[in-house]
C-alpha cells in the first residue's frame, strides 16, 4: 500500500512501507511523517514555487534524512548556517545534474536508483526506482507552449519536451506527478496528455495548477479515457491510498 498526500502546488508526500518521499515542498501543512522511516527530500529546481530552504529544518526531526537536490538549488549558505549549529547537513545532501543515474544507499531501507531528465524550464525531473516500484516527479518538465509565443519558441519547446518523453516511452511508472497548468489555457492539456499516452503509468497526479482544482475535471471531461489513471485532487492535505500492481 502506498499513501500520497497532496500538500500544495507541486508538493507531495509519498509514503511506502519503509520510506517517505517529499517532493518540491514550498508551502502548506506538512503531514505527520513517521520519524522511524528514512525521509527522502527531493527538489527539482530552485524556483520559489518548488523550493523553500525550510526543508533543511527537517534534519532536526529526521536524523535519517536524504536531500536529493537539483544542481541549481542554492545550498552553500545553508551548509554554513547549519554548520554553525553543529549539524552536518553536507553529509545528507546529494546534488544531481540532468541526465544522470545515481544510486544512493538508504540506511535501513536499501538501494535507491535515481534517474534525472532535463527540464524544459529549469532543473530536472526525477525518475526513482525503489525496490520494485517506480515513481516520477516532473518538476517543471512540461510542454510549455503559449498562445502568445512565437512559432519558433513553441516548436523548439515541443521538440525539447518530446526528446525527454521519448526516454520514458512505455516505462512502467507506479506513481507520477505531472504539471497541468491552467495559465496555458487551450494548451494546458498537451503535456500531461502526451505523458499519459507515452508512458505506462498507473496513478497520475496533476500538479502545478495554482489552486484551480477544477482543471482536473475539465481535463477528464475532454479525455474520459484517463478517468482511472488521473487522480482527482480536490483540496490541500488530501490523502490517497493506492494499491499499485505487484
Ligand atoms: Zn514551477
Amino acid at each position: 500500500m502506498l499513501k500520497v498526500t497532496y500538500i500544495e502546488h507541486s508538493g507531495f508526500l509519498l509514503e511506502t512501507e519503509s520510506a517517505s518521499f517529499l517532493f518540491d515542498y514550498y508551502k502548506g501543512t506538512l503531514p505527520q511523517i513517521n520519524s522511524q522511516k528514512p525521509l527522502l527530500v527531493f527538489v527539482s529546481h530552485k524556483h520559489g514555487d518548488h523550493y523553500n530552504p525550510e526543508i533543511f529544518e527537517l534534519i532536526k526531526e529526521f536524523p535519517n534524512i536524504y536531500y536529493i537536490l537539483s544542481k541549481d538549488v542554492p545550498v552553500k549558505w545553508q551548509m554554513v548556517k547549519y554548520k554553525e549549529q553543529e549539524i552536518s547537513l553536507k553529509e545528507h545532501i546529494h546534488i544531481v545534474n540532468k541526465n544522470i543515474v545515481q544510486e544512493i544507499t538508504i540506511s535501513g531501507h536499501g538501494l535507491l536508483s535515481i534517474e534525472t531528465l532535463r527540464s524544459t524550464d529549469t532543473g530536472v525531473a526525477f525518475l526513482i526506482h525503489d525496490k520494485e516500484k517506480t515513481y516520477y516527479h516532473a518538476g517543471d518538465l512540461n510542454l510549455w507552449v503559449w498562445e502568445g509565443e512565437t512559432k519558433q519558441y513553441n516548436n523548439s519547446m515541443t521538440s525539447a519536451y518530446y526528446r525527454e518523453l521519448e526516454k520514458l516511452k512505455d516505462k512502467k511508472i507506479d506513481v507520477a506527478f505531472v504539471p497541468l497548468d491552467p495559465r496555458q489555457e487551450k494548451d494546458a492539456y498537451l503535456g500531461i496528455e502526451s505523458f499519459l499516452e507515452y508512458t505506462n503509468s498507473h496513478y497520475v497526479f496533476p500538479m502545478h495548477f495554482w489552486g484551480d482544482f477544477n482543471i482536473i475535471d475539465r481535463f477528464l471531461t475532454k479525455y474520459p479515457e484517463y478517468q482511472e489513471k488521473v487522480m482527482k485532487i480536490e483540496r490541500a492535505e488530501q490523502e490517497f491510498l493506492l494499491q499499485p500492481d505487484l
Side-chain angles (χ1 to χ4, degrees):
M1 184 79 86
L2 299 173
K3 185 162 127 187
V4 169
T5 309
Y6 172 66
I7 303 168
E8 280 265 3
H9 202 49
S10 302
F12 291 87
L13 180 73
L14 165 72
E15 293 167 277
T16 73
E17 253 154 58
S18 53
S20 308
F21 299 74
L22 179 65
F23 294 102
D24 280 10
Y25 173 81
Y26 88 107
K27 70 166 185 181
T29 310
L30 270 185
Q32 282 286 346
I33 304 173
N34 183 340
S35 62
Q36 303 302 309
K37 292 183 195 174
L39 174 60
L40 306 146
V41 181
F42 291 82
V43 181
S44 67
H45 63 294
K46 66 180 178 187
H47 289 166
D49 60 325
H50 294 260
Y51 166 61
N52 182 337
E54 267 177 40
I55 56 170
F56 297 115
E57 290 294 302
L58 290 167
I59 196 169
K60 296 174 181 170
E61 211 185 321
F62 300 91
N64 196 8
I65 194 166
Y66 299 78
Y67 293 97
I68 297 101
L69 312 174
S70 171
K71 204 182 158 192
D72 62 296
V73 175
V75 288
K76 260 201 180 123
W77 70 270
Q78 294 293 334
M79 294 206 198
V80 174
K81 187 178 148 202
Y82 285 83
K83 205 173 172 184
E84 281 163 11
Q85 298 175 58
E86 296 187 3
I87 296 167
S88 67
L89 192 58
K90 199 177 176 182
E91 290 166 22
H92 296 260
I93 290 182
H94 302 262
I95 306 282
V96 294
N97 209 340
K98 57 182 189 280
N99 298 322
I100 57 101
V101 180
Q102 188 170 330
E103 289 192 332
I104 300 178
T105 305
I106 308 297
S107 159
H109 179 71
L111 210 58
L112 194 76
S113 165
I114 298 164
E115 276 180 64
T116 57
L117 305 186
R118 179 191 189 151
S119 176
T120 46
D121 189 330
T122 299
V124 300
F126 294 108
L127 188 68
I128 302 154
H129 306 283
D130 178 38
K131 306 196 187 287
E132 267 72 65
K133 299 279 183 286
T134 301
Y135 313 119
Y136 173 75
H137 190 285
D140 269 352
L141 172 56
N142 187 27
L143 185 40
W144 295 113
V145 299
W146 305 90
E147 183 145 0
E149 275 296 347
T150 61
K151 211 172 181 170
Q152 194 188 5
Y153 175 91
N154 283 339
N155 285 345
S156 77
M157 171 55 67
T158 303
S159 41
Y161 184 67
Y162 283 101
R163 195 156 52 229
E164 298 312 303
L165 217 49
E166 205 55 50
K167 300 172 189 168
L168 299 176
K169 200 163 172 61
D170 301 323
K171 279 239 159 92
K172 184 184 167 290
I173 299 171
D174 295 281
V175 183
F177 305 96
V178 182
L180 175 57
D181 193 315
R183 299 172 307 169
Q184 287 179 281
E185 300 180 347
K186 70 167 180 49
D187 297 321
Y189 305 154
L190 297 174
I192 195 169
E193 207 275 324
S194 303
F195 177 87
L196 283 155
E197 211 175 287
Y198 265 66
T199 65
N200 177 14
S201 295
H202 196 144
Y203 296 102
V204 177
F205 287 84
M207 63 178 189
H208 213 273
F209 48 77
W210 305 98
D212 180 7
F213 295 93
N214 191 257
I215 193 172
I216 303 173
D217 287 325
R218 300 198 298 276
F219 174 78
L220 288 172
T221 304
K222 193 165 177 199
Y223 299 99
E225 63 270 37
Y226 296 127
Q227 286 277 357
E228 301 289 307
K229 285 181 192 278
V230 173
M231 307 308 288
K232 290 170 203 107
I233 306 172
E234 291 165 330
R235 56 178 175 82
E237 295 169 57
Q238 192 173 351
E239 294 177 356
F240 299 83
L241 292 174
L242 312 176
Q243 194 90 65
D245 302 324
L246 293 173

